[in-house]
Amino acid sequence: MILLASRSSGRLATLRAAGVEPLVRVSTVDEEAVLGALRRRAPEAGPAEQVQELARAKALEVAGRTHAQEARVVVGCDSMLEIDGLVVGKPASAQQARERWLSMRGRSGTLHSGHFLVRTADGASAQGVSSTVVHFGEPGLEEIEAYIATGEPLWCAGAFTIDGLGGAFIEGVEGDPHGVVGLSLPLLRRLLAQLGVTWTDLWAPSSTDPDVGG
């Protein structure tokens, strides 16, 4: 059993669609404090280092509140969009989401998703970053306003999703599309293997039932 240290419905849905039913426990990490400490230690830290540090902090905080018998591995994740050398997380307001869409429509950015896994039995860990290039469409002003009115962009790194209402505004990706959701399944499988967990052993019984979907 794995424990997902995230409130992201997209990450949870991605795991469930892949046949994995995790426990969920949201971290209480102060993200700004974590990033502030990172910048003091490493002023030149880029987006990959930032999302990795946040994923690490989240996983370790939740692992500290988790007994080994509850879950074998805790998975922490975090995502940021890099565009024109600038790093953006979740928009702080509808106005900020509007400004971001007006600036990035018709262009491309890179979505970085950090992953940090910690084994509850002994604290062993594995980590990695998934980076996927995202090509944005060119939604009109009315479409942008309608999208912002749904509230979805306010909960997402870069103010967009690929697996929700925002998917129609994404023209394509280069790399792992799951990484854009915030959880790269191929990377997660490799990291779990480093901790002695075989991916197929995590499949819920119903996901391997030959009658499902028949």
Side-chain angles (χ1 to χ4, degrees), residues 174-198:
E174 296 176 42
D176 178 16
H178 297 108
V180 183
V181 180
L183 183 69
S184 170
L185 293 177
L187 175 57
L188 179 60
R189 181 184 64 81
R190 295 194 300 271
L191 295 177
L192 284 166
Q194 292 179 31
L195 298 179
V197 179
T198 300

Side-chain angles (χ1 to χ4, degrees), residues 98 101 139-153 165-166 169:
R98 181 178 299 107
W101 264 103
L141 293 176
E142 290 185 359
E143 291 176 307
I144 291 174
E145 291 299 333
Y147 184 39
I148 293 171
T150 68
E152 183 182 88
L165 298 175
F169 306 136

Side-chain angles (χ1 to χ4, degrees), residues 3 13 20 37-38 43 45 48 50 55-56 92 94 106 108 111-112 114 124 132 134 142 146 165 173 180 191 202 210:
L3 192 159
V20 179
L38 174 64
Q50 291 178 47
R56 175 181 179 277
S108 301
L111 199 290
H112 303 280
T132 303
V134 181
E142 290 185 359
L165 298 175
V173 300
V180 183
L191 295 177
L202 296 174

Side-chain angles (χ1 to χ4, degrees), residues 59-60 63 72-76 116-126 195:
L60 292 179
R72 188 172 177 184
V73 175
V74 176
V75 179
F116 190 93
L117 282 59
V118 56
R119 192 163 58 199
T120 54
D122 58 5
S125 63
L195 298 179

Side-chain angles (χ1 to χ4, degrees), residues 27 39 58 64 69 78 95 101 104 130 133 146 168 175 178 198:
S27 78
R39 294 185 188 111
K58 292 176 181 180
Q69 59 266 34
D78 196 84
Q95 178 59 30
W101 264 103
M104 67 189 187
S130 166
V133 176
H178 297 108
T198 300

